[in-house]
Amino acid sequence: MSLNKNNLLLFIPCFYSVFGLAQESKTAAKDSLSMQKLDEVVVTGESQVMSLSKKLFAVGVLEQKDIAKVAGNNLADILNYNLNITVTPDPSTGRSTISMFGLDGQYVKVLIDGIPMASDNGMGNNIDITQINLEDVERIEIVEGSMGVLYGDNAVAGVINIVTKRGLENDYKWQLQVSVQEETVGSEYALFDEGRHIQNAKLSHQLSDKTSISIGGSRNDNAGFFNNYQGKNYVNIQDNAVVNDSLRGMEWNPKEQFTAFGNLNTALGKHAIFYKIQYYDESVPVYNHYVNGRLDSNTGMVNPTALDENFDTQRLMNNLNISGPLKGPTIYNLSLSHQTQKRYYKQFVYNIRERGIASVIADDLSQSSEIWYSKGFVSNMVPTSDFFNLQLGYEFNHQTGFDAIATGEYSSDVVENTLENYDFFGVADFNITDRFSVFPGARFTNNSQFGNKLIWSLSSTYNISNTFKIKGVFGSAFRAPNFEELFFYFVDSNHNVQGNPKLDPEDGISLFLNVEEKFRLSDKSMLKTALKSYYFDIDDKIASVIVTDDEDRNLFTFDNVDYSKILGFSLENSLIMDRWQASLGMTYLGQSTAIDASQVSNSDYLWSFNLQSSLGYTIPSINTTLSAQLKYTGRTQIVENNTGGTELGQTDDFTWMDASARVNITKNLSLTLGARNIFDIVRVNASDTPSGAHGSSGVPSRLFGNGRSYYLKLLYNLNFN
């Protein structure tokens, strides 16, 4: 189901009837409290030191209360509402990745407290955002624009920073938080075997004025989406023979996630120290739609079995942040991290009648990585000058591991590889006038695979008035190949899939312009408007290609074969008016892609229109907040890796809407209930996918949702001394 674009556009004049009431004021005002507000804040751990981030980038902030009112358990639950971010799920693997300004997850860096998060194949990029639990999160910062100088390769479209809660409020010594959440998956729900079941617990203790600790855990049991499939124990037997009707298994594979964490926040004099340890485990079973129906030689009866799989991901993260004054107002910030990630692959024969594993075909470690990371910088190095300032820093990354699809037949041949980065960066601050500043920056990176590269940027801010500001960022669009693209290895008698260690980084230019104005409507009302324009021109884009190896076999690998250009314009508005909060944003984005390997090109831009709107109302008399979010996603261009090579296609438009109500029943107990995917989106027509899939009625389509779902969350929060 999808709403017509013309109907959606009816929202625009309604909103601008309010917009027309605005009268410009030159007095600074509070920002909107809506979820899509753009506050001038800075990245975590850097609130005292990264003044450049505040000056250069408009940072969208999702506060903990924004997460709570939509019962967001993981990052995928909350990012779907952002105008310039699209969440794309993969029902077969359970992964959900994001694209930002039309660039996929390889171009967006995800940080935990300022430190890149380990993914399947790298640091901070192409993250499965369903694996990021939000129960211990204070806020989410979304920084838009090319940030390669400050945050390294692959921060082309922007940075998403997850900020951990620190300390207790209101002088309490102890805090206990416990919550349970039950959610349908479409119309499917049962206490154990269907739906989504979430439990969370956290205990915090304020040891002293300067030291606090917390421990906690979260379990998210998603039973998957059947959508007329019949589950893992289904078999169709007629006349003592198996009839393969492809109804076994599920449309969307289930997953069970467990997250455990511990935090220490303390201070030694003027120096702040924060340590975080987190363990994550995820299990994703894959049920084969095809059933084998061999006869049992002893009984003569059919013995149905299926060749199933299970993927288990385990991640351990140790992060340490230290910051403080180096000398006077000159401040340092140091980050250290050790992270490991392992993915285990199990392939086995499942006996459907006996409901157990008959034999194990493979049980191997298919992906492993160990990462040592450090970043340090010194800010405000010339505090006595009003005209000039400087920030200098370094970044180090050492990753060892391998990536393959284990089959049990060749896993001993997998070779461990090492990838290292040594980076040095600096950003200068020239205050030309009181209102106009220029920030040139550069990063020198030395990579063990492709050698030395230079990342550069030139940024500027111009404050026309206290409420009217212009910010621009012009720089290199630099993306380094990830671990999979360099070192992936899957070779046996039937497969020949390998990475390419000779890949060059992608490069090009990026341009981001933000014009922002605030309007005071009354003492309790304020409107904020931001107009954005962005352009990306990326050369040597890395894509999957098919070549011939030395034995004249097809070799599936990666190469620098194509280019991509993206041009877009956004208008974002947020309004606060007494008890009302509203936002409306629109984006018009064009993509042009050429793929030399498949000789497919589209020199013209494929344009798409996106719209986002939210509305909230607070009822103090009953301690209730009502909210609704609507997002229209226009058609998008997709680069798909198929058996015939890389192809271009597009996915049709669709509309997504959620609504919720949060009620504070007592001082310690709150209830959140709501509906996701109100327009009942399941599949969206897509010209780049094969036709004839189950549930698609022969029309090519991509699975985006699991239908209209309902949820209820109870949170108990007890503070005591």
Side-chain angles (χ1 to χ4, degrees):
M1 176 180 177
S2 178
L3 289 185
N4 186 281
K5 185 192 307 183
N6 294 327
N7 293 334
L8 287 171
L9 291 176
L10 294 177
F11 285 93
I12 299 174
C14 295
F15 184 88
Y16 275 94
S17 64
V18 177
F19 179 85
L21 298 175
Q23 295 181 355
E24 181 176 352
S25 172
K26 301 303 180 181
T27 304
K30 284 187 176 181
D31 289 337
S32 168
L33 298 179
S34 68
M35 290 181 58
Q36 281 71 30
K37 67 180 180 180
L38 290 178
D39 290 333
E40 285 189 344
V41 299
V42 293
V43 177
T44 288
E46 304 169 357
S47 58
Q48 301 297 322
V49 293
M50 280 292 276
S51 59
L52 290 182
S53 293
K54 181 177 180 180
K55 292 179 180 179
L56 290 180
F57 304 104
V59 183
V61 180
L62 298 175
E63 303 284 356
Q64 201 281 329
K65 59 188 177 184
D66 298 320
I67 300 171
K69 70 183 180 183
V70 296
N73 174 259
N74 61 57
L75 196 56
D77 292 335
I78 195 75
L79 283 188
N80 194 48
Y81 307 127
N82 189 280
L83 174 64
N84 292 308
I85 293 178
T86 300
V87 178
T88 304
D90 185 338
S92 61
T93 63
R95 289 173 52 87
S96 288
T97 55
I98 60 173
S99 62
M100 191 171 181
F101 298 115
L103 293 170
D104 64 32
Q106 298 282 10
Y107 302 86
V108 184
K109 210 149 197 174
V110 178
L111 314 175
I112 305 291
D113 297 312
I115 296 176
M117 176 183 173
S119 66
D120 289 350
N121 294 290
M123 282 288 285
N125 296 98
N126 207 30
I127 298 291
D128 177 5
I129 59 174
T130 68
Q131 296 182 352
I132 302 178
N133 185 271
L134 299 182
E135 295 301 326
D136 188 39
V137 170
E138 178 67 27
R139 67 183 184 273
I140 302 167
E141 300 165 343
I142 304 172
V143 191
E144 300 174 336
S146 183
M147 302 186 67
V149 170
L150 292 178
Y151 295 98
D153 53 10
N154 306 355
V156 177
V159 169
I160 297 174
N161 188 41
I162 314 299
V163 182
T164 301
K165 292 180 182 178
R166 305 183 186 187
L168 279 71
E169 298 177 354
N170 301 323
D171 297 325
Y172 286 109
K173 297 281 187 174
W174 293 89
Q175 182 184 72
L176 174 65
Q177 288 183 324
V178 180
S179 68
V180 292
Q181 181 172 335
E182 295 295 306
E183 187 167 337
T184 70
V185 176
S187 60
E188 303 168 6
Y189 179 79
L191 192 57
F192 297 105
D193 298 329
E194 297 179 14
R196 189 179 178 197
H197 315 279
I198 303 171
Q199 305 89 39
N200 303 286
K202 178 185 176 184
L203 179 64
S204 302
H205 179 43
Q206 193 76 35
L207 294 172
S208 67
D209 292 341
K210 294 185 177 181
T211 303
S212 65
I213 60 173
S214 62
I215 59 172
S218 176
R219 176 179 176 268
N220 181 357
D221 180 17
N222 188 330
F225 183 37
F226 286 83
N227 195 29
N228 297 321
Y229 283 98
Q230 302 301 310
K232 70 176 182 178
N233 294 316
Y234 169 81
V235 61
N236 185 356
I237 299 178
Q238 298 179 17
D239 298 326
N240 199 33
V242 169
V243 177
N244 269 293
D245 51 17
S246 298
L247 292 180
R248 181 183 181 265
M250 308 186 75
E251 177 84 274
W252 203 306
N253 290 315
K255 67 164 62 177
E256 185 174 21
Q257 301 170 316
F258 176 74
T259 304
F261 62 86
N263 303 325
L264 169 64
N265 186 41
T266 188
L268 295 176
K270 297 181 180 180
H271 304 273
I273 301 173
F274 180 72
Y275 170 70
K276 182 182 186 68
I277 182 171
Q278 185 183 85
Y279 172 77
Y280 174 82
D281 183 272
E282 175 189 84
S283 179
V284 180
V286 179
Y287 306 125
N288 200 326
H289 298 312
Y290 180 83
V291 178
N292 296 309
R294 296 187 179 92
L295 295 178
D296 189 316
S297 58
N298 295 324
T299 64
M301 300 298 293
V302 66
N303 185 27
T305 62
L307 189 62
D308 291 345
E309 300 170 303
N310 189 82
F311 295 87
D312 187 84
T313 300
Q314 298 177 10
R315 182 186 301 119
L316 180 62
M317 178 179 68
N318 289 274
N319 287 354
L320 177 65
N321 298 97
I322 306 173
S323 63
L326 190 64
K327 183 180 179 181
T330 301
I331 300 174
Y332 77 92
N333 187 294
L334 178 65
S335 297
L336 303 170
S337 177
H338 176 247
Q339 301 183 52
T340 60
Q341 173 160 312
K342 298 181 184 298
R343 184 177 64 240
Y344 295 90
Y345 172 78
K346 186 175 184 179
Q347 186 181 53
F348 55 92
V349 177
Y350 181 77
N351 191 305
I352 298 176
R353 276 188 166 168
E354 296 181 2
R355 300 194 175 184
I357 296 177
S359 62
V360 176
I361 307 300
D363 192 357
D364 294 293
L365 179 63
S366 67
Q367 181 266 333
S368 176
S369 62
E370 181 179 23
I371 298 170
W372 293 91
Y373 172 86
S374 178
K375 180 179 180 179
F377 54 86
V378 178
S379 296
N380 200 21
M381 297 182 67
V382 192
T384 58
S385 173
D386 293 331
F387 173 75
F388 174 75
N389 215 324
L390 183 66
Q391 173 181 297
L392 296 177
Y394 78 90
E395 190 168 19
F396 166 75
N397 181 30
H398 175 89
Q399 179 180 358
T400 59
F402 62 86
D403 189 355
I405 301 175
T407 65
E409 299 175 356
Y410 75 97
S411 58
S412 60
D413 295 330
V414 175
V415 177
E416 188 173 75
N417 290 282
T418 299
L419 190 63
E420 284 187 340
N421 259 72
Y422 298 90
D423 293 10
F424 299 93
F425 62 90
V427 180
D429 181 345
F430 292 95
N431 297 307
I432 308 301
T433 69
D434 292 341
R435 297 184 179 275
F436 178 60
S437 299
V438 178
F439 309 91
R443 172 183 286 247
F444 174 80
T445 176
N446 175 268
N447 183 278
S448 57
Q449 285 301 123
F450 51 78
N452 301 328
K453 295 293 180 179
L454 181 67
I455 304 175
W456 58 272
S457 69
L458 178 63
S459 307
S460 180
T461 62
Y462 182 41
N463 299 329
I464 298 177
S465 69
N466 291 335
T467 61
F468 190 15
K469 302 179 180 181
I470 301 175
K471 300 180 182 181
V473 183
F474 177 58
S476 56
F478 182 87
R479 182 178 88 80
N482 62 35
F483 207 80
E484 175 187 13
E485 293 164 340
L486 290 169
F487 302 125
F488 187 90
Y489 186 85
F490 179 23
V491 179
D492 61 12
S493 58
N494 299 313
H495 305 88
N496 189 7
V497 186
Q498 301 181 45
N500 181 4
K502 298 180 180 180
L503 284 173
D504 291 325
E506 299 178 2
D507 206 354
I509 60 171
S510 67
L511 177 64
F512 188 89
L513 182 66
N514 182 80
V515 181
E516 177 186 300
E517 174 69 295
K518 300 173 185 176
F519 303 90
R520 169 73 72 178
L521 303 180
S522 68
D523 291 341
K524 296 183 179 180
S525 302
M526 194 269 294
L527 174 68
K528 181 177 179 180
T529 297
L531 177 63
K532 302 176 183 178
S533 178
Y534 45 91
Y535 175 72
F536 302 95
D537 187 347
I538 301 173
D539 293 324
D540 293 327
K541 201 162 187 285
I542 299 170
S544 176
V545 299
I546 302 175
V547 297
T548 303
D549 64 9
D550 295 336
E551 300 179 8
D552 202 30
R553 297 188 307 172
N554 282 339
L555 169 61
F556 295 81
T557 185
F558 299 90
D559 205 351
N560 302 97
V561 296
D562 62 355
Y563 71 82
S564 181
K565 296 180 181 180
I566 294 175
L567 176 64
F569 308 91
S570 296
L571 178 63
E572 301 178 17
N573 305 277
S574 60
L575 171 71
I576 180 170
M577 185 178 293
D578 197 13
R579 299 176 185 176
W580 291 91
Q581 305 91 39
S583 69
L584 178 69
M586 295 158 283
T587 289
Y588 195 56
L589 182 146
Q591 291 179 274
S592 174
T593 303
I595 303 176
D596 299 333
S598 60
Q599 297 182 346
V600 177
S601 64
N602 178 18
S603 57
D604 296 328
Y605 283 94
L606 173 66
W607 291 94
S608 64
F609 174 79
N610 298 333
L611 181 145
Q612 173 278 329
S613 181
S614 70
L615 185 65
Y617 182 69
T618 302
I619 310 174
S621 60
I622 57 174
N623 297 318
T624 298
T625 300
L626 307 176
S627 61
Q629 301 82 28
L630 180 143
K631 186 175 182 180
Y632 168 82
T633 301
R635 59 177 183 167
T636 55
Q637 184 169 274
I638 302 294
V639 178
E640 192 78 356
N641 299 324
N642 296 320
T643 56
T646 306
E647 298 178 359
L648 288 177
Q650 72 179 49
T651 300
D652 285 355
D653 61 325
F654 64 96
T655 304
W656 193 283
M657 183 176 181
D658 296 350
S660 65
R662 179 177 170 84
V663 184
N664 294 320
I665 301 174
T666 69
K667 177 183 177 181
N668 300 322
L669 183 65
S670 65
L671 168 68
T672 307
L673 53 89
R676 306 190 201 276
N677 192 4
I678 292 175
F679 295 141
D680 203 23
I681 299 296
V682 176
R683 288 187 172 274
V684 176
N685 291 342
S687 64
D688 56 305
T689 57
S691 61
H694 170 74
S696 64
S697 302
V699 179
S701 62
R702 172 173 279 109
L703 195 64
F704 264 93
N706 47 41
R708 186 183 301 111
S709 303
Y710 303 92
Y711 62 86
L712 183 149
K713 179 178 181 178
L714 280 172
L715 170 65
Y716 182 72
N717 187 357
L718 178 63
N719 297 288
F720 58 96
N721 292 315

